[in-house]
Amino acid sequence: MNAAVPSSIPAASGSALPSSANPSAQPETNMNESRTETTTIDPILLSVYARTFRSITDEMSISMEQTTRSPILCEAKDYVTGLYDGEGRMLEQTENLPILAFSLAPVCKYIKEYFGDEIYPGDVIFHNDVFSLGNQNNDVAVFKPVFFQDRLVAWTAVKGHQADIGGNVAGGYNPNAVEVWQEALRIPPVKVVERGKLRKDVWNLIFANVRLDIVQHDMKAEMGACTVGERRVLELLDKYGLASFEAHKQALFDATRRMMEAEIAKIPNGRYSGEGRVYYDGRHEGSKFTIRVDIDVEDNRIRFDYSRTDAQTNGFVNGTFTSSASATILTLLQMVNPDIPHNEGMVEPIEIVIPEGTILNAAYPKATTFGNHLCPPNADAIQRALAPVLPDRVTAGWNNLLASLTTGIDPHTNEKYVDIGFMGLKGGSGAMLGTDGYDHIGMIDASGGVLDQDYEMFEQQTPHTLLRHELLEDSAGAGQWRGGLGVETIFRIGSDDTQLVTFGDGDFEPAFGLFGGGDAGLNFIRLRYPDGREVVPRNKDLITGVPKGTIYHQVASGGGGYGDPKKRDRKVLAEEVRNGMISREKARELYGWEG
């Protein structure tokens, strides 16, 4: 495999989604060969198929929750499970982390093309490579082909954020990186199991380049979840037959496409533009970048064009095509009918243009690990663009990310640990017409799917001691409907020579308000060393040698408000003041409260 993007994926043109990743592209192979003229679509059976597909991916997700060992997976559920047809078209997903879910189908199609006729029953394929349609290096996927009557009819897939994937920095986030090899081990499509037999040499090659043994166990859990999905698909095919499966699958795609087209048709025709901002690339102080989107709506089609977005950086802060396109889709889905099934038909009316060489689609071999976290400013651009024509569907700004990752040696076990502080990074969401934002929900790219850490498990799986974790008064943007509250987190670092990585933008720009609503507050991370020194990390920073006993203090602020705060329900406001969610001072200053 070439080091650059393979020529079979025309990502270099940058003009639109490549054919192997474009949800609207029609595959050359007709998967309905077994559908006969006499095959009829039973509407009840169609519903059975749709719900069974979802049941399969839900069961795969439960399998992951019960069998993974890293807290990133079993506690925070930073993974997704998916089911795809023989051509890699999406049948259903369980989107614990939506930005990962919408990155699986493009890779599945690519793997099908990559191996061609050399895909066999019993194969298991690993992939994480960002230059062959992966979204982030740490997000490692397992794909398993499903054969029925000697024919490739489906794929099961799982992608999860691994605790380590090699590279210069333990845990995978390296704010000093400028190229992919400084970030991670690249895994292009590779069979770790072929025809049911483990390729021991390939397995050992991969995990010889990964620091933590727990990653092997978690990848086995991904493989197991794929096997669970394979069994359920085969049971479905045994029950109803291949012809029924193919016919009803296509009917489900068609029905879902019509549902999405109907939603798009509710948006007035026209072009709508918006911007989001990114601050500091990890190398150049004061650097600032703008994401620009032009949204064209024509009847029942929608096109997102990022051609005016700023160029890629020579630093840590770049995205991949797949992560950026996924961010676009999940943001749009927050504005449409939530009952639309998540399958290939849903994305067929959507076109996404992200030129290569922009900050959202960096060219080989740029660093891109931060790419998933460009979703919030991307979403900001889309929300700002559509707010004038969809005031009842957009939200005010969500709290932007400011996160940290601690690594070191746990003195109690003498073992390495890696922890992404999910407790501390989860701010509030933006309010919308008629609804307050959600408190402590987290990033918009997670959309509430990434769970909080259990306090006791946090203290068992790290050497740290939790001192405070609570909703933060006055952190939400004021409005007739206020933003969601953020949180304050304080813990004592329990390992000597701890390494701390910070990443995000939430200390530069607060979540914005809409239609008279107020902005929220800013995030921060501060360290107080045992000798009394206070250190404020930059928002993309790598700090080594943090001593045991250091106090870690973090605020993830709230979401933006919607509408005039003085119109907020007085009874609700009084209750929030009484409960310590809004202070008396801010209630009087921002809401005109007279209590």
Side-chain angles (χ1 to χ4, degrees):
M1 177 178 179
N2 294 330
V5 176
S7 60
S8 60
I9 301 179
S13 68
S15 60
L17 283 120
S19 60
S20 59
N22 186 353
S24 65
Q26 295 298 317
E28 296 178 2
T29 303
N30 181 5
M31 282 300 292
N32 298 317
E33 293 170 348
S34 61
R35 181 176 176 180
T36 67
E37 294 299 322
T38 58
T39 302
T40 58
I41 303 302
D42 181 337
I44 295 176
L45 185 56
L46 186 65
S47 180
V48 169
Y49 272 109
R51 284 159 174 75
T52 301
F53 292 156
R54 182 52 189 258
S55 175
I56 290 170
T57 58
D58 282 350
E59 187 174 358
M60 293 167 65
S61 179
I62 293 169
S63 173
M64 282 287 291
E65 183 180 9
Q66 297 297 318
T67 59
T68 49
R69 294 176 54 188
S70 167
I72 298 170
L73 298 169
C74 64
E75 286 289 306
K77 296 182 71 173
D78 193 346
Y79 62 83
V80 296
T81 57
L83 180 62
Y84 308 87
D85 75 358
E87 293 300 302
R89 295 178 296 181
M90 178 173 34
L91 294 172
E92 188 52 88
Q93 303 174 144
T94 294
E95 298 149 1
N96 298 304
L97 194 71
I99 200 166
L100 302 191
F102 291 104
S103 70
L104 278 172
V107 178
C108 194
K109 295 171 185 176
Y110 173 62
I111 288 174
K112 172 72 163 52
E113 180 181 340
Y114 183 89
F115 285 107
D117 294 334
E118 296 180 341
I119 300 172
Y120 310 111
D123 285 355
V124 175
I125 298 164
F126 282 8
H127 179 273
N128 82 333
D129 181 37
V130 296
F131 294 106
S132 57
L133 296 177
N135 64 293
Q136 187 191 61
N137 302 300
N138 278 72
D139 297 331
V140 187
V142 170
F143 292 86
K144 195 173 196 319
V146 180
F147 283 78
F148 182 76
Q149 297 175 352
D150 298 322
R151 175 175 169 179
L152 176 60
V153 296
W155 295 81
T156 57
V158 178
K159 178 178 281 190
H161 186 109
Q162 299 304 318
D164 186 73
I165 194 64
N168 276 15
V169 176
Y173 283 86
N174 179 8
N176 298 322
V178 297
E179 60 182 17
V180 64
W181 300 286
Q182 296 168 336
E183 297 185 292
L185 171 69
R186 289 178 66 194
I187 308 174
V190 60
K191 293 184 183 182
V192 295
V193 178
E194 187 167 26
R195 301 179 194 254
K197 182 176 177 57
L198 176 68
R199 299 182 65 182
K200 190 175 180 180
D201 53 347
V202 175
W203 184 274
N204 289 339
L205 175 64
I206 291 171
F207 291 106
N209 287 280
V210 176
R211 292 175 179 84
L212 302 178
D213 288 340
I214 197 172
V215 177
Q216 294 191 53
H217 300 293
D218 288 337
M219 290 305 298
K220 289 177 181 177
E222 288 194 24
M223 294 164 66
C226 285
T227 300
V228 169
E230 178 188 35
R231 290 174 185 157
R232 299 297 177 257
V233 172
L234 292 176
E235 290 170 1
L236 186 67
L237 287 162
D238 282 335
K239 185 172 184 178
Y240 295 112
L242 184 57
S244 173
F245 173 85
E246 293 291 349
H248 285 82
K249 172 195 73 179
Q250 188 59 49
L252 184 60
F253 289 167
D254 294 342
T256 302
R257 185 196 68 250
R258 290 191 294 270
M259 291 178 71
M260 178 57 82
E261 288 174 342
E263 291 296 300
I264 295 171
K266 296 176 183 177
I267 307 173
N269 284 351
R271 167 167 282 203
Y272 311 103
S273 301
E275 295 184 356
R277 287 166 289 276
V278 183
Y279 299 89
Y280 183 51
D281 64 358
R283 294 181 63 84
H284 305 97
E285 293 290 346
S287 54
K288 179 179 175 181
F289 308 89
T290 301
I291 295 170
R292 300 178 181 88
V293 63
D294 297 309
I295 304 173
D296 294 304
V297 179
E298 185 174 354
D299 300 329
N300 58 10
R301 308 280 304 180
I302 190 167
R303 183 175 190 262
F304 297 83
D305 188 346
Y306 293 89
S307 297
R308 298 188 300 112
T309 290
D310 283 354
Q312 65 192 22
T313 78
N314 189 34
F316 173 58
V317 180
N318 291 303
T320 66
F321 182 94
T322 305
S323 65
S324 298
S326 298
T328 301
I329 293 169
L330 71 89
T331 304
L332 176 64
L333 288 181
Q334 295 184 24
M335 305 179 196
V336 299
N337 180 359
D339 295 327
I340 296 176
H342 287 190
N343 61 48
E344 194 75 12
M346 178 192 70
V347 293
E348 284 179 357
I350 304 168
E351 181 183 359
I352 303 173
V353 178
I354 312 177
E356 186 183 38
T358 60
I359 194 172
L360 292 178
N361 182 15
Y364 170 86
K366 291 296 184 181
T368 62
T369 293
F370 190 76
N372 281 359
H373 309 301
L374 293 176
C375 178
N378 186 351
D380 286 351
I382 295 170
Q383 302 275 14
R384 286 176 170 130
L386 294 177
V389 290
L390 294 177
D392 59 335
R393 296 195 182 194
V394 299
T395 71
W398 291 43
N399 175 252
N400 210 337
L401 177 72
L402 184 62
S404 72
L405 183 150
T406 54
T407 62
I409 304 294
D410 188 332
H412 303 108
T413 63
N414 203 34
E415 294 181 352
K416 297 177 182 177
Y417 73 91
V418 173
D419 182 73
I420 298 178
F422 286 105
M423 275 187 299
L425 62 80
K426 297 184 67 173
S429 74
M432 64 183 300
L433 182 66
T435 305
D436 291 343
Y438 285 96
D439 301 331
H440 183 45
I441 191 174
M443 306 163 285
I444 194 168
D445 50 311
S447 299
V450 169
L451 300 183
D452 210 346
Q453 293 164 294
D454 177 90
Y455 298 162
E456 293 182 356
M457 292 301 293
F458 171 74
E459 293 188 341
Q460 285 187 15
Q461 294 169 330
T462 76
H464 310 322
T465 301
L466 184 64
L467 303 177
R468 177 185 298 172
H469 182 241
E470 59 188 40
L471 294 174
L472 183 61
E473 184 180 59
D474 291 336
S475 56
Q480 184 174 0
W481 298 280
R482 65 162 176 82
L485 290 168
V487 294
E488 181 180 31
T489 306
I490 302 175
F491 62 82
R492 181 183 298 109
I493 290 176
S495 56
D496 288 315
D497 198 26
T498 303
Q499 179 175 275
L500 176 79
V501 176
T502 57
F503 50 96
D505 284 315
D507 56 343
F508 271 87
E509 183 177 333
F512 62 88
L514 275 180
F515 304 111
D519 295 346
L522 289 174
N523 302 350
F524 69 74
I525 294 175
R526 297 172 186 160
L527 303 176
R528 190 174 76 246
Y529 283 29
D531 62 7
R533 285 185 300 139
E534 185 172 278
V535 175
V536 179
R538 293 171 298 180
N539 63 7
K540 287 95 180 176
D541 212 344
L542 173 63
I543 300 176
T544 59
V546 178
K548 182 178 180 179
T550 295
I551 301 299
Y552 174 98
H553 185 189
Q554 178 172 9
V555 160
S557 198
Y562 187 110
D564 183 355
K566 293 184 172 53
K567 294 182 179 179
R568 185 161 181 79
D569 184 291
R570 299 290 104 172
K571 182 178 179 181
V572 172
L573 182 60
E575 184 177 346
E576 290 176 323
V577 171
R578 184 166 58 251
N579 291 335
M581 302 167 75
I582 300 173
S583 68
R584 291 181 178 273
E585 294 75 19
K586 291 298 181 183
R588 294 183 180 115
E589 174 188 346
L590 300 177
Y591 292 89
W593 187 58
E594 298 177 353

